[in-house]
Amino acid sequence: MKILITDDEEPIRELIKYNVEKSGFETVCAENALQAVQFSRLEKPGLILLDLMLPDMSGLDVCRILKGDDSTRSIPIIMVTAKTEESDIVTGLELGADDYITKPFSTKVLLARIQSVLRRAQNQNSPAVSGDVLTAGPVSVDIPRHEILVEGKKVEFTATEFAILEHLVRHAGQVFSRQQIINAIKGSDYPVTERAIDVQILSIRHKLSDAGCKEMIETIRGVGYRMYGEEAAE
């Protein structure tokens, strides 16, 4: 599989390139936004590492272009950001980026994120099977029965809580902004405030905790939420 590395700093590109290739991937490198868009369309990489600070165009604009193009929409994107760019992280996720990593980062963390995003992409591209039971750690979501089990025991959730938990379990390990969660469970035009999602998450956490399952939903400061644990298995 080929990975497109986009960064305007050559030492960083070469460091990432070395470690990614050492892990068995092919690479192609872009030093600016224009090249990133061109190479994405020509090379059809399996994943894109996209620095948000590029000299000719924001990485967010690159993300917007690629996610708006039928030929590149399905390519997973991991944003590479500075720690202070929380608003950019939210924007990138809402544009369709799959994950983010902040500078400075360790090689091990970067490779783990790459593998995680690729696994999620593979699961999402697999056809759904009737009778799905999604799992993340001790939490199981039985979709046909509309039941949630924690450590094998049924726990009652409201319809909205069920929808939120199903979404987070289905995409375990992936970060979602509050608006993305609203869009996923209610649609983009539904009049729900982001604060309402915080209240729902708090209630879900209490019920999971009461069932003996603590700290499964992680708060990503300034961004949103992520289901902690292994990716969902179907």
Side-chain angles (χ1 to χ4, degrees):
M1 179 177 291
K2 187 177 296 183
I3 293 179
L4 171 60
I5 302 165
T6 304
D7 198 296
D8 62 325
E9 297 184 49
E10 185 177 2
I12 295 178
R13 286 200 311 272
E14 291 301 316
L15 178 62
I16 296 175
K17 174 183 170 68
Y18 171 78
N19 286 285
V20 167
E21 290 183 348
K22 188 177 178 181
S23 295
F25 296 101
E26 296 180 40
T27 63
V28 59
C29 292
E31 62 185 34
N32 56 50
L34 179 59
Q35 287 184 356
V37 173
Q38 291 176 336
F39 292 167
S40 295
R41 290 169 173 168
L42 291 173
E43 301 286 345
K44 295 296 189 297
L47 181 141
I48 300 169
L49 292 174
L50 179 61
D51 189 7
L52 294 190
M53 298 294 290
L54 297 171
D56 53 338
M57 186 191 304
S58 166
L60 293 175
D61 290 327
V62 174
C63 185
R64 184 179 291 108
I65 291 170
L66 296 179
K67 292 301 181 180
D69 187 331
D70 289 341
S71 68
T72 56
R73 180 177 292 124
S74 63
I75 302 175
I77 295 175
I78 298 178
M79 301 179 297
V80 182
T81 79
K83 287 186 176 181
T84 57
E85 296 169 343
E86 290 180 348
S87 61
D88 287 343
I89 292 171
V90 173
T91 300
L93 291 171
E94 292 179 346
L95 286 173
D98 296 82
D99 204 348
Y100 72 94
I101 187 168
T102 57
K103 294 180 179 179
F105 52 81
S106 74
T107 300
K108 288 183 178 180
V109 170
L110 174 62
L111 294 174
R113 291 291 181 86
I114 290 173
Q115 294 287 1
S116 179
V117 168
L118 289 176
R119 283 196 301 271
R120 289 202 301 268
Q122 184 176 15
N123 288 339
Q124 290 168 11
N125 291 331
S126 299
V129 179
S130 179
D132 280 351
V133 176
L134 309 175
T135 62
V139 179
S140 298
V141 181
D142 189 323
I143 297 173
R145 293 177 180 272
H146 206 266
E147 292 180 349
I148 294 176
L149 305 179
V150 179
E151 301 285 5
K153 297 179 181 180
K154 184 178 176 180
V155 179
E156 296 293 337
F157 290 88
T158 67
T160 299
E161 290 169 352
F162 182 96
I164 292 173
L165 196 50
E166 176 192 341
H167 182 69
L168 293 177
V169 170
R170 184 182 294 276
H171 304 285
Q174 186 170 347
V175 181
F176 291 97
S177 69
R178 293 163 179 81
Q179 188 59 53
Q180 282 180 305
I181 294 174
I182 293 171
N183 294 347
I185 67 172
K186 296 293 187 181
S188 59
D189 298 325
Y190 197 84
V192 176
T193 66
E194 294 188 356
R195 173 60 181 162
I197 294 298
D198 293 335
V199 174
Q200 297 285 349
I201 291 290
L202 181 62
S203 177
I204 292 171
R205 280 174 166 159
H206 281 316
K207 292 179 179 181
L208 291 176
S209 179
D210 289 344
C213 177
K214 298 181 179 180
E215 300 180 356
M216 281 294 294
I217 299 177
E218 180 184 6
T219 300
I220 308 300
R221 182 177 175 274
V223 182
Y225 298 102
R226 169 169 54 196
M227 192 75 183
Y228 181 79
E230 295 298 322
E231 284 69 36
E234 300 186 14

